[in-house]
Amino acid sequence: MYELLWISGFVTILLVFLMPETSSATILHRRAARLRAVTGNTAYRSQAELTHGHKTPGVIIQEAILRPFQITVLDPSIFFANAYTALVYAFYYLFFDSFPTVYGAGVFNFSFGAQGVAYVSIIVGGIVGATIYIGYQQLYMNNYWYPTKGWPVNEKRLEPAVISSAFAPIGLFIFAWTSRTSVNWSGSLIGTGIYAAANFVTLQCLFFYIVLSYPAYAASILAANDFLRALAATGFLHIGIPMFRTLHIDGGVSLLAGLTCFGVPGIWLIYHYGARLREKSRFAVGDAPQ
């Protein structure tokens, strides 16, 4: 865990000191404070100060804690996004429990060092997924769609996820049924890479869709999403080894793949009907850039 602490600590320092502020409300608040200091005119107030200036710290903290879960319960799109990403996160942890058995003495009998190298397939899959997603955003959306057709509906951001969500169970099925001595070990690593790449694309699409559709509450929604993902992963972590002992690798991972399939129609439904759901939501906004 020390390695994770070092990496996350270093990245946190970079974010705090080098990442610019992007919240329009915060930028305007700071600008109003500077104008008051320079001019001495206390009439300068930002919209955030006018809206929330009368609230006590206790009310602000209460809203910050309760609002994410309120949106999750009342908004179908957010409910699905949080539930789906929580399951994906939990299945990731369950999936990793199969690695020591598959690449250890259970199947392929890798050495201790080679077992660690097997996890590199996840990094490779993540790089492939990032390349696909960045390519879609830069080459298709930024270079073609914006200049020729203007700002799209927010649901168009989910187009890659409609495809990638179907590849996640495919990757799991490949891993499940190639993790045997009669098949070369490369087959299971290919399945792992496909699964990692598909999940990366799907999650990035969902997170971007949330930020665009709910900009005023994006931080709260993503915080609730993070909490639910961690909660699901913590709970599912305890069933991984018993599940694989009972169902074995092929049956256990196939079960995860089958459950992952339920996310495919969910992504499709949000892609086609998300705009109608946003029209009925009191938290979402339209498709104009914020």
Side-chain angles (χ1 to χ4, degrees):
M1 298 299 292
Y2 285 110
E3 292 84 355
L4 292 177
L5 180 62
W6 297 334
I7 295 173
S8 60
F10 175 71
V11 173
T12 300
I13 294 174
L14 292 180
L15 291 177
V16 170
F17 291 101
L18 299 181
M19 188 172 185
E21 178 62 62
T22 58
S23 171
S24 58
T26 302
I27 293 173
L28 291 176
H29 172 72
R30 294 175 178 175
R31 184 177 298 173
R34 287 197 301 269
L35 287 173
R36 289 195 298 270
V38 172
T39 64
N41 187 351
T42 58
Y44 286 108
R45 288 288 186 272
S46 67
Q47 184 60 48
E49 291 174 298
L50 296 175
T51 304
H52 305 289
H54 64 283
K55 297 181 180 179
T56 64
V59 172
I60 295 175
I61 293 174
Q62 183 180 12
E63 288 184 352
I65 295 176
L66 296 180
R67 183 60 57 82
F69 301 99
Q70 181 186 20
I71 298 174
T72 299
V73 172
L74 297 179
D75 197 296
S77 297
I78 298 303
F79 178 83
F80 169 79
N82 285 347
Y84 180 76
T85 54
L87 286 177
V88 168
Y89 202 65
F91 289 174
Y92 246 137
Y93 279 85
L94 285 179
F95 178 57
F96 292 155
D97 276 341
S98 67
F99 271 48
T101 300
V102 171
Y103 299 109
V107 181
F108 294 121
N109 201 26
F110 283 10
S111 65
F112 183 77
Q115 291 180 45
V117 176
Y119 288 89
V120 175
S121 60
I122 300 170
I123 299 176
V124 174
I127 294 174
V128 172
T131 303
I132 294 172
Y133 182 74
I134 294 173
Y136 171 82
Q137 290 292 344
Q138 186 63 36
L139 300 179
Y140 179 63
M141 296 299 294
N142 294 347
N143 293 350
Y144 167 70
W145 190 274
Y146 294 157
T148 59
K149 299 186 179 181
W151 191 265
V153 295
N154 294 342
E155 284 67 29
K156 186 167 181 61
R157 310 288 183 166
L158 297 175
E159 280 185 343
V162 174
I163 300 174
S164 62
S165 62
F167 273 90
I170 291 175
L172 287 176
F173 277 124
I174 291 175
F175 180 90
W177 296 99
T178 57
S179 297
R180 54 191 65 197
T181 55
S182 59
V183 181
N184 186 269
W185 51 264
S186 60
S188 60
L189 294 181
I190 292 173
T192 301
I194 293 174
Y195 181 56
N199 279 336
F200 182 92
V201 173
T202 302
L203 294 181
Q204 291 303 313
C205 290
L206 283 173
F207 292 153
F208 196 18
Y209 174 73
I210 289 173
V211 172
L212 287 176
S213 300
Y214 309 84
Y217 307 105
S220 295
I221 296 173
L222 293 178
N225 182 280
D226 191 29
F227 173 78
L228 293 174
R229 281 188 287 126
L231 188 65
T234 302
F236 276 75
L237 188 64
H238 297 286
I239 68 174
I241 294 177
M243 181 183 71
F244 290 125
R245 285 176 179 172
T246 303
L247 301 177
H248 306 294
I249 297 300
D250 50 4
V253 178
S254 293
L255 176 61
L256 298 181
L259 293 174
T260 305
C261 289
F262 286 104
V264 179
I267 297 288
W268 186 89
L269 288 172
I270 293 182
Y271 174 68
H272 284 280
Y273 301 106
R276 299 181 188 178
L277 293 174
R278 286 190 289 113
E279 290 175 358
K280 301 177 181 179
S281 172
R282 60 189 173 112
F283 304 108
V285 299
D287 299 304
Q290 301 297 311

